[in-house]
Amino acid sequence: MTTTLSERVSQSAFDGSLLRVVLLLDLHEGAQRQFFEAYEQLRHDIASVPGHIGDQLCQSFENPSQWLITSEWESAPQYLAWVNSDHHAEQVRPLGACARSMRPLKFTVLRETGRGYDRATRPTARLQPAPRLGADLVRHALTFTVRPGSEKEVAEILSGYASPAARVDEHTRLRRTSLFMHGNRVVRTVEVQGDLTAALRHVAQQPEVRAVEEAVNPYLEQDRNLDDPESARMFFMRAGLPAVHHVAAAEADPAGTERHALLYPARPGCGPALARFLARQDEAAAHRPADPVRSSSIFQRDDLVVRLIDVRGPLDADPEAVLGVRGPRKAAVLERLTTGPATPAGAPAPTPAEARARAAAHRTMRLITDRHAPAPS
C-alpha cells in the first residue's frame, strides 16, 4: 500500500488549521478565589494577542479544585509565538502559583459538527483536512546555555549518567533520548510513546537524572533552584523547544540511519518563517527515495530552530540534503533567513558547493549521547 505524503507528515504547525488548547489544572487547597482573580487579569491581557479567538474557564462540578481553560487560536504558529515568549511566562506565573499541576494539551481542529457549527460561517479550509497517522510517538526538546568555557565539563556530565527506567506506566515508555551541543548551547530531544507529561514527570523524579541536573546547575547561564517548584517550572517553561513538524520517508528505516541535529539561528523575527521553509524542504525530500534524510523533526522557539534528522550514509556526502536546501535558490533563501558563518576578511569567496559544505559543518551540532530504550520484554 502506498503511503501518501500527508500520511507521512505526522505533525505540522503549518497547515493553517484552527488550534484548540486545553489546560488542565489541579489547584492547591483553598486557592480557587485567588486563581479566579488571576485568570480575570490574564483573560484581559490575552484578548489582544494576535491569533487569539476566545477562551472558556470551567470548574469541575464534582471537585472544586479541578479547573479547565480552553482557548481557540487561528493557527498553531500564532499560539506558539505567544506561549513561548517571556511575556507569557510572566503572565501565567500567578496561575502557576495556585496549581499543584498544570497540563497543557494542544489539538488542531478536524471537524465542527452540530447545530451551532452548522450556522457558523468559518471556512472549512481552516480545519485540518485529514487525520494524521503516526507511530504513537511524541517528540519534545529542551534547550539551555551554559557558561562559556564550561562546555567540556558539561558534556562529560551529560554523557555519563545512567539511563532512567524506560517504562513509565502501562501506556507510556521512553523511546529515545538524544543530546547535542553547539558552542555553549545544549539541546536535549526525547521521543516518548504515550503521555509526554507523564514521561517528563517520571524522568524528573529519577535519582540519576536529578543528580545530573544538580551537577549541571553551577554551569548554567540562567540560574534555577530545583528545590523550588516555581523556579524549576519557570526554567523548564523557558527551556521548552516545541516540535512543530515531523515527516518521514515512505520507507524510513531507523536501523540503517544515524541521528544528527542542526542548529539554525534565525535573523530577528524570522524563526517561524525559517521553520516553515525547512518543513517544506523536508516534505519535498520525503518524495525522493534516494534522499539520504529519511526523517526530520523541526523544533522552533522564537528565532531558534533545531532540525533533528535521521540520515542514511555519511553526513558530508550530500550537504544540500543535510542543510535542507536542495533545489534552485533554496540556499539563498536559507541565507536570507539565518545568521551564518562569515567568510574571513581577505579570503576568497567560496564556490556554492564550498559554501553549502561549510554551512552544513557550521550548523551541525556535536552529539553527546544518543540512547535507545531496550525493547519491552
Side-chain angles (χ1 to χ4, degrees):
M1 182 178 68
T2 301
T3 305
T4 66
L5 176 61
S6 62
E7 291 173 328
R8 298 200 293 271
V9 179
S10 59
Q11 179 181 2
S12 182
F14 307 123
D15 62 5
S17 301
L18 290 167
L19 185 73
R20 173 72 66 178
V21 180
V22 179
L23 180 62
L24 305 172
L25 304 106
D26 186 12
L27 302 188
H28 294 297
E29 184 177 355
Q32 290 88 346
R33 186 177 299 278
Q34 178 186 351
F35 174 79
F36 182 74
E37 292 173 352
Y39 170 79
E40 284 292 293
Q41 179 61 50
L42 176 63
R43 76 178 181 91
H44 290 295
D45 292 342
I46 197 178
S48 61
V49 175
H52 177 257
I53 297 173
D55 49 40
Q56 290 182 325
L57 175 67
C58 309
Q59 184 179 21
S60 169
F61 70 87
E62 296 175 322
N63 182 348
S65 294
Q66 293 179 343
W67 292 64
L68 171 70
I69 300 174
T70 66
S71 62
E72 191 172 50
W73 296 77
E74 293 177 4
S75 68
Q78 291 170 309
Y79 166 76
L80 292 172
W82 172 69
V83 79
N84 291 332
S85 67
D86 287 341
H87 183 52
H88 164 266
E90 294 303 321
Q91 285 179 312
V92 301
R93 187 191 292 268
L95 297 185
C98 300
R100 279 192 291 264
S101 65
M102 300 172 61
R103 183 183 181 191
L105 302 169
K106 299 173 282 293
F107 304 87
T108 50
V109 182
L110 279 87
R111 297 291 182 271
E112 293 177 330
T113 59
R115 287 178 295 177
Y117 288 117
D118 289 343
R119 294 192 299 268
T121 59
R122 290 190 289 191
T124 56
R126 294 175 60 188
L127 304 183
Q128 183 179 313
R132 299 194 185 281
L133 305 182
D136 189 27
L137 281 181
V138 184
R139 298 168 182 85
H140 185 65
L142 293 171
T143 185
F144 52 87
T145 55
V146 297
R147 302 183 194 281
S150 68
E151 294 86 353
K152 181 179 179 181
E153 292 85 348
V154 170
E156 291 175 352
I157 293 170
L158 294 175
S159 63
Y161 69 96
S163 298
R167 185 180 186 274
V168 177
D169 54 41
E170 59 179 329
H171 303 295
T172 303
R173 284 179 55 83
L174 298 172
R175 288 283 298 271
R176 189 170 183 177
T177 300
S178 307
L179 197 143
F180 302 86
M181 292 185 70
H182 191 284
N184 69 328
R185 179 167 294 280
V186 177
V187 172
R188 176 190 293 151
T189 68
V190 295
E191 290 182 357
V192 173
Q193 187 170 24
D195 186 341
L196 175 64
T197 301
L200 295 179
R201 186 182 304 116
H202 163 80
V203 169
Q205 294 170 348
Q206 303 305 300
E208 56 270 34
V209 174
R210 180 60 183 255
V212 169
E213 298 288 358
E214 293 287 0
V216 168
N217 264 353
Y219 302 105
L220 296 177
E221 286 198 312
Q222 178 187 345
D223 292 335
R224 69 178 178 187
N225 179 5
L226 295 176
D227 293 323
D228 178 355
E230 181 64 11
S231 173
R233 187 181 72 83
M234 294 299 290
F235 177 87
F236 287 110
M237 179 185 295
R238 290 189 170 104
L241 192 60
V244 295
H245 193 269
H246 177 78
V247 61
E251 298 177 356
D253 179 14
T257 62
E258 291 187 358
R259 176 152 292 185
H260 303 275
L262 285 88
L263 182 70
Y264 299 81
R267 295 184 186 275
C270 292
L274 172 59
R276 187 190 300 268
F277 167 77
L278 292 171
R280 288 173 177 167
Q281 306 322 303
D282 286 330
E283 287 185 15
H287 277 300
R288 299 188 289 265
D291 198 286
V293 177
R294 308 312 293 159
S295 72
S296 164
S297 298
I298 296 173
F299 304 87
Q300 180 249 325
R301 183 188 182 100
D302 299 330
D303 290 331
L304 180 68
V305 179
V306 172
R307 181 164 158 264
L308 186 72
I309 54 177
D310 291 329
V311 179
R312 181 178 56 196
L315 188 65
D316 57 359
D318 193 340
E320 286 186 340
V322 170
L323 273 177
V325 293
R326 188 184 299 281
R329 297 182 296 278
K330 297 299 189 297
V333 175
L334 182 65
E335 185 176 348
R336 288 198 300 269
L337 293 172
T338 59
T339 61
T343 301
T351 66
E354 290 171 340
R356 287 190 289 272
R358 180 185 301 174
H362 176 76
R363 303 284 183 214
T364 302
M365 304 188 75
R366 178 163 61 103
L367 178 65
I368 303 302
T369 181
D370 184 25
R371 302 176 182 224
H372 298 255
S377 56

